[in-house]
Amino acid sequence: MNRRGFLTSAARGLTLASVGRALPVSAQPDGPPPPGYIRLRVVQSELTIEGKTGKAYRIEQDNGTLGWSGRRGDLFRVAVDNTVADPFSIHWHGVILPNGQDGVPYVTQAPIKPGERRLYDFPLVQAGTYWMHSHFGLQEQLMLTAPLIIREPPSSPEMKDVVVMLNDFTTRDPSAILADLRRGPTQSMKMGGAGMKMSMKADLTDVRYDALLANRRPLSDPDLARVTSGEMVRLRIINMTSGSNVFVSTGRLAAEAIAVDGEDIVPLPGTRFELGVAQRIDLQVVIPRGEGAYPIIAQAEGTDMLAGIVLVTAGATVPALSARASKPGGALTNGQESRLRAVRPLARKPVDHRLSLTLGGDMAAYVWSLNGQVWPRITPLEVKQGERVELSFVNRTLMTHPMHLHGHVFQVTEIGGVRLRGAKRDTVMVIPQQTVKVEFDALYPGYWMIHCHLLYHQAAGMMTVVHYQGFESRSYDPLASMTEFPRP
Ligand code: C2O
Ligand code: CU
């Protein structure tokens, strides 16, 4: 099939399954990638943030650029090279792709071993702000994360783009953090999960970090983005943190949110926005006349940690910024979510199939569950190709869980009992004691992960799969994933 025919049929959602063939593995991670492929190397590095040094991975191209960018209609042709000492697996978050290339170890692919190269090759049918991250063990905490930006084809008008990556930084070994959480509540942290004696107070966060970073820098030494007066700028903000829901403030700049999770929304004006873990928000701002420096700042829910970048015109002085807020940030409410409307909503169609997921947890033992099941001992949720599926997330815990479905875009249809035709997304926050419903069309056969995107919840079991009836895969062996995590 020629490229054009391939893309047109892919756009109809027809060929994605058939391109999910096994791709050749080249044994030459040090050699050049095959013609037409971009190489993404995973390398080990370190970051020193305000005097504290911690491990950090990079997913970089040969020229050092983090991640990948391209256009809708392009083929995503990437050779991923493992140049580190550990196996990993890279998931292309939010991207519609063949199941066999979704990058989940023991579900869709084997991990990429040290010294190994893995090839990816599929058509990009979306345009928007996406990202990539390890789906192996706790590597996401060590910043095995990068942007994946898909722009519209060159014919469409474009404005200046500024990508903002948020990460939470720790000098600790993530497996020690998980072990501590499993050991139970500490004095420094008030715990409260379903099933415990508790105050009816929500837990905003269960892990303490050394810092919040934007573009891998602390707010005391921020990334500066050059802008010109009068210019329109699109901020593509990606919450790549392991456990920090944030508020994003544009300060003196009036902004409009124009997309969430890569999908266009009816513009929502504001200066302060909610952004859950793994979500993206695209904000459009206009730089005022004259010289100026405009900080764009994120504050993690329930903490005083700040991170941000500064949009700066030529000649302007950048103010000194502190990485600590004067008071801790409050809780996200999903109030923003209720006001979002998709530009291209799902076609009106009756629901064929209803699935419900009850989010549960035992904070004392640090076990998190979906419908009482703990990964990897789960029963897949079954769907049939072509169905309109409604998925209800029922949160019985006192924490907010950013719930993510792989390989699909869903539309938010109900929040706290109120029906809406809300945003299309791939990750939705479900706040304590709330029920959120979403709908999606089952168009892409496979085994697709559905999980809480708080890394330590995912590692502690809050993960399951959606399975298309009749789909078979030799890669599917969840119990093998036990080897990913150090077990006490
Ligand atoms: Cu971004 Cu399964 O995750
Ligand atoms: Cu969670």
Side-chain angles (χ1 to χ4, degrees):
M1 203 178 341
N2 66 25
R3 185 173 141 109
R4 174 134 299 270
F6 184 59
L7 293 175
T8 335
S9 51
R12 291 198 303 265
L14 295 175
T15 61
L16 284 173
S18 55
V19 296
R21 64 192 185 275
L23 288 157
V25 173
S26 146
Q28 299 220 338
D30 295 326
Y37 283 75
I38 303 268
R39 169 155 66 175
L40 284 179
R41 289 191 320 143
V42 171
V43 299
Q44 184 76 64
S45 81
E46 273 185 350
L47 279 177
T48 299
I49 304 297
E50 296 181 329
K52 295 181 182 167
T53 302
K55 272 197 197 167
Y57 288 99
R58 297 174 61 85
I59 311 173
E60 61 180 29
Q61 298 186 21
D62 289 342
N63 63 10
T65 306
L66 287 180
W68 186 95
S69 67
R71 295 183 186 275
R72 186 209 297 271
D74 285 354
L75 290 173
F76 183 76
R77 277 200 167 143
V78 162
V80 175
D81 285 358
N82 185 342
T83 73
V84 297
D86 302 299
F88 60 72
S89 186
I90 298 188
H91 167 56
W92 319 105
H93 182 118
V95 177
I96 290 179
L97 42 55
N99 189 246
Q101 300 187 52
D102 192 41
V104 181
Y106 313 109
V107 173
T108 62
Q109 308 198 294
I112 306 175
K113 295 195 270 304
E116 191 187 334
R117 164 174 292 167
R118 185 73 52 84
L119 301 181
Y120 294 84
D121 179 8
F122 55 85
L124 294 169
V125 298
Q126 300 150 287
T129 305
Y130 301 91
W131 61 300
M132 60 183 77
H133 61 80
S134 175
H135 219 288
F136 188 92
L138 300 168
Q139 291 167 339
E140 197 186 298
Q141 178 72 80
L142 299 177
M143 293 187 226
L144 217 161
T145 58
L148 197 170
I149 308 296
I150 314 172
R151 302 194 168 85
E152 289 292 354
S155 48
S156 26
E158 260 176 45
M159 49 186 139
K160 164 165 306 161
D161 243 24
V162 175
V163 176
V164 182
M165 312 177 282
L166 301 173
N167 288 94
D168 39 28
F169 174 78
T170 178
T171 57
R172 299 188 65 200
D173 176 350
S175 59
I177 297 177
L178 182 58
D180 272 5
L181 289 165
R182 285 187 163 133
R183 223 167 277 134
T186 63
Q187 311 83 305
S188 63
M189 249 169 257
K190 168 124 46 69
M191 298 299 204
M196 284 184 71
K197 256 197 302 178
M198 66 194 119
S199 59
M200 281 308 288
K201 193 179 163 300
D203 294 295
L204 301 183
T205 172
D206 49 13
V207 179
R208 272 166 197 275
Y209 294 100
D210 292 307
L212 189 66
L213 305 180
N215 294 347
R216 302 192 169 219
R217 301 168 76 112
L219 191 55
S220 52
D221 177 25
D223 192 20
L224 306 179
R226 281 276 161 227
V227 293
T228 53
S229 125
E231 185 175 39
M232 190 178 276
V233 176
R234 179 185 191 129
L235 295 158
R236 296 176 181 269
I237 306 173
I238 311 174
N239 189 334
M240 300 181 178
T241 67
S242 292
S244 304
N245 298 317
V246 300
F247 292 98
V248 175
S249 300
T250 56
R252 287 177 295 133
L253 286 181
E256 277 187 340
I258 55 172
V260 291
D261 294 0
E263 291 283 327
D264 293 346
I265 52 168
V266 175
L268 177 74
T271 55
R272 185 172 149 92
F273 299 90
E274 300 192 345
L275 186 64
V277 171
Q279 295 184 328
R280 288 83 67 207
I281 192 165
D282 290 20
L283 301 176
Q284 182 178 304
V285 296
V286 178
I287 307 304
R289 295 275 155 211
E291 285 176 7
Y294 306 94
I296 307 295
I297 292 182
Q299 179 166 7
E301 180 184 39
T303 84
D304 64 356
M305 292 191 305
L306 302 176
I309 61 140
V310 184
L311 302 176
V312 52
T313 64
T317 331
V318 179
L321 298 163
S322 157
R324 299 283 163 187
S326 49
K327 55 177 177 25
L332 277 71
T333 64
N334 254 354
Q336 170 183 302
E337 195 65 45
S338 308
R339 297 164 63 203
L340 302 182
R341 296 291 175 270
V343 167
R344 286 172 289 276
L346 286 186
R348 288 189 190 269
K349 199 182 159 199
V351 169
D352 300 305
H353 190 166
R354 295 196 153 79
L355 296 171
S356 175
L357 275 183
T358 299
L359 321 184
D362 175 347
M363 278 297 259
Y366 210 74
V367 172
W368 294 94
S369 60
L370 294 173
N371 288 347
Q373 296 185 327
V374 175
W375 181 266
R377 298 202 161 77
I378 54 94
T379 325
L381 302 168
E382 296 291 331
V383 301
K384 284 202 201 94
Q385 177 150 21
E387 286 178 333
R388 167 67 55 89
V389 181
E390 181 190 77
L391 188 54
S392 304
F393 298 105
V394 183
N395 187 355
R396 296 251 196 270
T397 77
L398 295 180
M399 283 191 78
T400 294
H401 304 279
M403 298 301 300
H404 171 48
L405 170 64
H406 284 213
H408 294 73
V409 173
F410 53 66
Q411 182 168 17
V412 179
T413 54
E414 190 177 313
I415 300 178
V418 180
R419 297 292 300 172
L420 68 153
R421 294 184 89 205
K424 281 160 79 189
R425 297 185 158 283
D426 54 59
T427 307
V428 70
M429 287 190 291
V430 190
I431 68 166
Q433 307 296 323
Q434 189 180 57
T435 295
V436 171
K437 296 185 182 176
V438 304
E439 290 180 21
F440 65 90
D441 287 319
L443 295 175
Y444 314 111
Y447 280 104
W448 300 104
M449 301 307 290
I450 177 158
H451 61 88
C452 175
H453 221 290
L454 300 180
L455 182 60
Y456 300 93
H457 290 193
Q458 182 183 344
M462 209 171 202
M463 181 151 76
T464 189
V465 292
V466 169
H467 172 245
Y468 279 62
Q469 228 173 63
F471 180 86
E472 286 176 45
S473 160
R474 269 178 291 116
S475 309
Y476 185 73
D477 183 14
L479 289 178
S481 71
M482 301 287 272
T483 57
E484 267 180 81
F485 301 108
R487 299 276 154 181

